[in-house]
Amino acid sequence: MATAAHTLQPLSQLSAAVSEWVNSVRELTQPRAVRWCEGTDAEARELTALLLSRGELTALNPEFFPGCHLYRSAPNDVARVEHLTYICTRSQEDAGPNNHWMDPQQAHARMRELFRGCMRERTLYVIPYCMGPLDSPLSRCGVEITDSPYVVLNMLIMTRAGRAALERIAIERTFVRGLHSIGELDPERRFIMHFPEELAIESYGSGYGGNALLGKKCHALRIASWQARKESWLAEHMLIVGLQSPRGETHYLACAFPSACGKTNLAMLIPPASLPGWRVFTVGDDIAWLHPGADGRLWAINPEAGYFGVVPGTNPQTNRNAYEMIRRDTLFTNVALTADSQPWWEGLPSGVPVLDWQGRPYDPARGPAAHPNSRFTVSARRNPSYSPHAEDARGVPISALVFGGRRREVAPLVYEARDWQHGVLVGASLASETTAAAVGQVGVTRRDPMAMQPFCGYNFGDYWQHWLDVGARLARPPPIYHVNWFRRDANGKFLWPGYGENLRVLTWMIERCAGRVGAAESAIGRLPRPEDLNLRGLDLEPQALGALLAVDPALWRKEIVELREYLGRYGKHLPAALLAELGITEQRLG
Ligand code: GTP
Ligand code: SPV
Ligand code: MN
């Protein structure tokens, strides 16, 4: 009697193109063994057991954290490395001033020498994956080759990985080739190279998230943004969230905030008790692929299947959904441990760390117990607010787009762009304080247009033009907003409570879409008047609202001067329409 198992073809025989590539990589890297990933639970269990036996994973307290594990990375491999990340296009101009660039021939030669023989004594894993629902025409596939079982475990959670993805690749005959090796984990021998013209990624020397889980930032943003421009869609660093009003209408918002600026939290927000009847549904927490639909609206899918989220700050008060979600079947990276093997991080209301993220006895003099960029990896299906439409093949229709940064001053709590063209300028002018998500100084304000500074796979000038072109084609372009949850008072305290209370700002947007609430014109766009925001039950300092909604003309004039200088760097690639919008704002500021 033939069982399903008998009829399954070996993965290595499904796609000749994939097999040829795997063979060539095997010759180059010389692994001890080759393992094709099926994407089954049994496989994940086996990899987990392997890492436990090698001492690379620690099982967490099964009573409180069943199915959870801790992974400690190399101490010098804890964040994205933007200074070692390259876009390798034939013409440097195509990569633009926003990217580090290397000639593709030179980059390949350099990487070939790093990869040569690098997998000796290691197993080479082949991970076919699909970004987006397996049955969606909007999804795109790739194959990652890696020598890190930790990377495989993450990819199995973060993507639809395994046989079904390879079956799709065999039919489509196109896929992104991502070659990864942890190498020696030496920051001096570390590169993340992208070849958008060849749909290829080569990453060496890091096992960390955005450097190593190639389906995520490397494919779904840097390569996909290039493909999206060619194919008239947008690949963006955006969460997708559905908000159901007490009337029962659901609106989807897509919001771009830079790394560690609140996407995961907003995507799974818990409505405050004083806003009864609102419900929140998560579609995605980091990446959105936006396609113009036949109905003239933008439709969005989340290419990912899991969350690779910031751990510190997660607690029952800030985000009970996230807190509950990561208590089961979660892979923690670089958190601290309590005496009874529970994970611990800064921001938890209880518990005592005894080992820090490096496994050393915790000593506050050496800094925080959990690394500020410690992360959880967990399946989206574990999210209590996971949207029933998150897997819809056609995506969800977008009612509004939101840009936001982390800024102690200048940017008000919220404002609405005058129209799409002005909204593109608002996105292009996004600025934010740097965070621990990337190696480098933290807290420095930098330009991060559309929250894509580290992720746009081509020249920002051309990217802004592409945004303008997409908008011009939409019969019903969504309104565009800017938010800032991080404005501070003179003592450095956040003026806005944030987290669940952010819903008050989102409901204003939704009511604006329905034409049910007002706004006041300002030089930079439309702001809510205090009476336009639902602040019922919110405990806000009396002067805070005024400060949150203030637009200081002197600061903004300075902002415009800096912005003009910044945009000027894009020379002939900068769309004239953005300069025209800048001129309008400048004129209104007087
Ligand atoms: P990436 O995964 O790096 O792209 O980050 P993200 O944009 O998803 O950020 P996330 O939601 O993980 O939040 C990052 C940090 O900001 C966490 O420590 C949160 O606790 C904190 N945070 C999130 N939302 C708010 C907010 O509304 N107000 C304040 N003050 N902090 C917030
Ligand atoms: C970010 O840095 O924006 C992240 C984490 O979402 S990583 O996967 O490392 O890019
Ligand atoms: Mn991100």
Side-chain angles (χ1 to χ4, degrees), residues 179-467:
L179 172 53
H180 171 255
S181 169
I182 53 170
E184 309 90 336
L185 295 175
D186 176 357
E188 302 300 319
R189 286 162 60 82
R190 183 175 290 168
F191 284 110
I192 324 296
M193 301 283 194
H194 303 75
F195 306 86
E197 290 150 329
E198 305 165 31
L199 302 187
I201 304 156
E202 294 177 4
S203 166
Y204 187 91
S206 167
Y208 169 78
N211 303 331
L213 315 180
L214 302 186
K216 196 171 174 60
K217 297 302 179 17
C218 300
H219 175 164
L221 287 178
R222 297 197 190 94
I223 300 287
S225 61
W226 176 281
Q227 293 181 300
R229 181 177 173 224
K230 280 208 300 204
E231 301 166 8
S232 293
W233 50 283
L234 296 165
E236 299 299 326
H237 192 203
M238 290 177 169
L239 68 94
I240 309 162
V241 67
L243 304 176
Q244 192 187 77
S245 74
R247 298 164 191 264
E249 294 166 12
T250 301
H251 285 273
Y252 294 93
L253 308 183
C255 314
F257 309 154
S259 302
C261 289
K263 288 181 303 300
T264 302
N265 277 274
L266 196 79
M268 43 195 311
L269 170 158
I270 301 207
S274 49
L275 289 186
W278 285 88
R279 295 189 65 191
V280 172
F281 298 98
T282 314
V283 177
D285 84 321
D286 197 50
I287 300 179
W289 285 355
L290 305 164
H291 288 255
D295 62 355
R297 291 189 290 179
L298 273 180
W299 289 73
I301 62 163
N302 169 18
E304 301 190 276
Y307 311 126
F308 183 65
V310 176
V311 178
T314 309
N315 69 47
Q317 276 71 49
T318 55
N319 192 333
R320 200 184 62 238
N321 275 340
Y323 183 74
E324 296 297 337
M325 174 175 75
I326 61 179
R327 299 186 77 80
R328 186 181 279 276
D329 300 334
T330 299
L331 179 51
F332 289 88
T333 299
N334 291 339
V335 294
L337 275 187
T338 64
D340 64 346
S341 291
Q342 296 194 52
W344 194 91
W345 55 86
E346 275 66 20
L348 277 186
S350 62
V352 179
V354 297
L355 294 182
D356 72 8
W357 63 276
Q358 296 185 56
R360 306 174 301 187
Y362 172 53
D363 174 0
R366 285 195 289 224
H371 190 277
N373 192 39
S374 51
R375 296 265 167 178
F376 56 76
T377 317
V378 66
S379 166
R381 291 169 187 281
R382 288 270 313 127
N383 176 2
S385 60
Y386 195 47
S387 165
H389 297 290
E391 319 248 348
D392 283 5
R394 63 177 187 166
V396 295
I398 295 300
S399 296
L401 296 177
V402 183
F403 295 113
R406 183 185 278 269
R407 292 198 78 176
R408 43 186 74 228
E409 52 180 12
V410 184
L413 178 64
V414 59
Y415 63 99
E416 180 184 79
R418 298 185 283 267
D419 54 22
W420 181 275
Q421 188 164 296
H422 178 227
V424 176
L425 176 68
V426 169
S429 26
L430 200 67
S432 196
E433 292 155 23
T434 51
T435 65
V439 169
Q441 236 186 323
V442 168
V444 186
T445 303
R446 70 160 179 184
R447 293 281 152 205
D448 193 347
M450 280 79 172
M452 285 286 278
Q453 168 51 44
F455 308 122
C456 183
Y458 62 102
N459 190 318
F460 260 153
D462 300 334
Y463 169 77
W464 297 322
Q465 184 60 54
H466 178 53
W467 262 82

Side-chain angles (χ1 to χ4, degrees), residues 410-413 487-489 495 542-551:
V410 184
L413 178 64
R487 201 143 158 175
R488 303 206 198 200
D489 66 14
L495 283 161
Q543 302 87 3
L545 192 63
L548 279 163
L549 295 174
V551 177

Side-chain angles (χ1 to χ4, degrees), residues 8 105 147 215 245 300 375 404 463 531 572:
L8 287 183
Q105 300 300 330
D147 55 9
S245 74
R375 296 265 167 178
Y463 169 77
E531 66 267 30
K572 67 178 175 28

Side-chain angles (χ1 to χ4, degrees), residues 87-117:
I87 299 296
C88 309
T89 43
R90 285 190 297 264
S91 147
Q92 180 167 5
E93 224 176 309
D94 284 340
N98 44 307
N99 281 303
H100 299 296
W101 174 85
M102 201 182 288
D103 171 75
Q105 300 300 330
Q106 197 189 332
H108 280 307
R110 198 150 180 178
M111 297 304 280
R112 210 174 298 122
E113 288 324 303
L114 291 172
F115 282 122
R116 194 181 301 286

